[in-house]
Amino acid sequence: MEYPRVMYISVDDLAHAPISFDQQIAPGQIDFGIELHALQSLHTTGQAEVLHEHRGPKDVVADIRLRASYQAQVEVLCARCLEPVGVSLDQSFDLLFRPIGVDAVGDERSISPSETEIGYYEKDGLLLEDVLREQVLLSLPARTLCVESCKGLCVHCGCNRNTESCDCEATPADPRWSALRAAESQLRSPNKP
Ligand SMILES: [Zn+2]
Ligand SMILES: [Zn+2]
């Protein structure tokens, strides 16, 4: 199913006054990729405004400032056992977007280290859902675990060691057999590291 685009914020729309928004974004409406999905609607409220940066007498850059908060329930995979883990998010952000291309590489006016919260918009604006996607992904820890003590998957047979037991560890492995098993599991899941 194709979902409608959420909200396009353009410099023209903001020319006369800031825009306030209060949106419910249905699960699936933002594509987070295969490793994360929304369990419920994401709720966001905030305000967008245009700020004019005067860089010279005839050089005015129209920046979009976006201040918002959001609440979301998402599901990610445990980094050890790959079971889904629910995560509640309640975050806020204050971001500045410049037109893409104004901060050329090597430009003296390009971003200083204190301005890390700066992004770029293409053409004349940005999509709220794109900003939210990035913010949600950034807010998650690099590794989420189902429980701190998660035992993960058995490296020999691949069973979930939280819920299943296997004899792999108990049986001192004959090096020839473990080489064979390693080759076997490689064949079964060539994409696993
Ligand atoms: Zn786990
Ligand atoms: Zn095992």
Side-chain angles (χ1 to χ4, degrees):
M1 178 180 170
E2 188 76 11
Y3 289 92
R5 288 266 163 168
V6 183
M7 188 177 164
Y8 189 72
I9 299 166
S10 77
V11 173
D12 286 349
D13 296 338
L14 300 171
H16 300 295
I19 291 176
S20 295
F21 54 87
D22 184 334
Q23 302 258 323
Q24 291 283 349
I25 299 171
Q29 200 164 343
I30 298 179
D31 180 8
F32 290 109
I34 51 164
E35 292 183 358
L36 185 155
H37 71 268
L39 294 174
Q40 299 172 3
S41 290
L42 180 152
H43 179 224
T44 182
T45 56
Q47 195 182 57
E49 63 186 318
V50 69
L51 298 179
H52 291 106
E53 265 187 84
H54 294 268
R55 295 186 167 191
K58 288 179 183 170
D59 189 5
V60 179
V61 174
D63 296 339
I64 297 174
R65 185 182 188 188
L66 192 59
R67 281 176 288 180
S69 60
Y70 67 88
Q71 295 81 42
Q73 283 284 339
V74 300
E75 200 171 69
V76 293
L77 300 183
C78 171
R80 287 192 198 141
C81 72
L82 308 180
E83 289 296 315
V85 187
V87 180
S88 293
L89 300 171
D90 189 348
Q91 307 274 338
S92 57
F93 55 86
D94 184 350
L95 301 169
L96 195 69
F97 294 87
R98 285 183 178 146
I100 198 162
V102 293
D103 291 317
V105 179
D107 190 324
E108 284 171 29
R109 297 172 306 207
S110 64
I111 314 167
S112 67
S114 62
E115 295 177 287
T116 48
E117 296 293 306
I118 286 182
Y120 294 92
Y121 65 85
E122 289 178 61
K123 297 181 184 145
D124 62 344
L126 47 87
L127 273 170
L128 182 60
E129 64 175 339
D130 287 343
V131 178
L132 288 166
R133 178 195 297 113
E134 196 176 305
Q135 290 301 308
V136 167
L137 294 173
L138 285 172
S139 72
L140 291 167
R143 283 164 58 87
T144 302
L145 297 177
C146 58
V147 287
E148 204 50 52
S149 59
C150 173
K151 295 176 185 154
L153 302 177
C154 171
V155 291
H156 304 289
C157 70
C159 79
N160 185 338
R161 293 171 62 230
N162 300 306
T163 53
E164 298 167 69
S165 54
C166 60
D167 301 326
C168 303
E169 298 286 306
T171 319
D174 181 320
R176 288 169 299 175
W177 283 114
S178 48
L180 187 62
R181 285 202 192 96
E184 252 176 22
S185 61
Q186 275 287 302
L187 281 174
R188 266 187 245 124
S189 54
N191 293 328
K192 272 192 201 157

